[in-house]
C-alpha cells in the first residue's frame, strides 16, 4: 500500500497516508461507520481501499469529517454540511493560491524597481 521507495517512518508525518480503518476513524470522531459511509456517498471524502477492500482514512480526511460532524451536530442536514465543508475547503485553497500569487507579484515588482 505505501508508495514504492517510501520508508514506513515517512508515513508518520504524511497527512494523506490512509492509516486509519473505518472502525478506528469512527471511534476517533465519536461517530458511526454509517456516518463515514454517508460522507463518502455525498462525495465529501473518498477513502482509499486496502488490498482486502476495506476503507482506510487519512488524518486530512478525518479533519474534514470532523468539521462535517460539527455542522451535523448543530442541526445542519448532512448533504448541506458536506457542501459547506467542500466550499470552505475550496475557499481556503483559493485564498492560499491568491496569497502565493500576491507574494510572487511583489517579489517580481521589487526586482523591476531595483
Amino acid at each position: 500500500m505505501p508508495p514504492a521507495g517510501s520508508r514506513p517512518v515517512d508515513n508518520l508525518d504524511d497527512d494523506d497516508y490512509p492509516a486509519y480503518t473505518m472502525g478506528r476513524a469512527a471511534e476517533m470522531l465519536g461517530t458511526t461507520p454509517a456516518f463515514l459511509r454517508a460522507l463518502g456517498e455525498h462525495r465529501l471524502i473518498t477513502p482509499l481501499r486496502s488490498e482486502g477492500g476495506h476503507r482506510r482514512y487519512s488524518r486530512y480526511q478525518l479533519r474534514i469529517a470532523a468539521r462535517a460532524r460539527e455542522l451535523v451536530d448543530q442541526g445542519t442536514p448532512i448533504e448541506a454540511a458536506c457542501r459547506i465543508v467542500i466550499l470552505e475547503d475550496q475557499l481556503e485553497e483559493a485564498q492560499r493560491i491568491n496569497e502565493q500569487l500576491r507574494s510572487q507579484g511583489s517579489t517580481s515588482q521589487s526586482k523591476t524597481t531595483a
Side-chain angles (χ1 to χ4, degrees), residues 2-78:
S6 75
R7 299 175 324 161
V9 243
D10 294 339
N11 297 328
L12 295 176
D13 294 325
D14 185 354
D15 265 1
D16 295 319
Y17 182 72
Y20 304 98
T21 62
M22 177 180 275
R24 180 69 179 127
E27 180 183 320
M28 290 170 69
L29 294 170
T31 189
T32 63
F35 178 78
L36 291 172
R37 281 191 296 275
L39 296 181
E41 289 169 15
H42 293 291
R43 297 188 178 141
L44 179 63
I45 55 177
T46 304
L48 287 156
R49 298 282 182 152
S50 69
E51 289 180 15
H54 300 282
R55 291 174 177 88
R56 306 283 297 192
Y57 297 89
S58 68
R59 287 190 308 215
Y60 173 75
Q61 290 172 324
L62 294 184
R63 282 195 301 273
I64 298 261
R67 175 65 180 128
R69 177 162 187 238
E70 287 174 14
L71 292 168
V72 169
D73 287 350
Q74 294 169 4
T76 306
I78 193 164

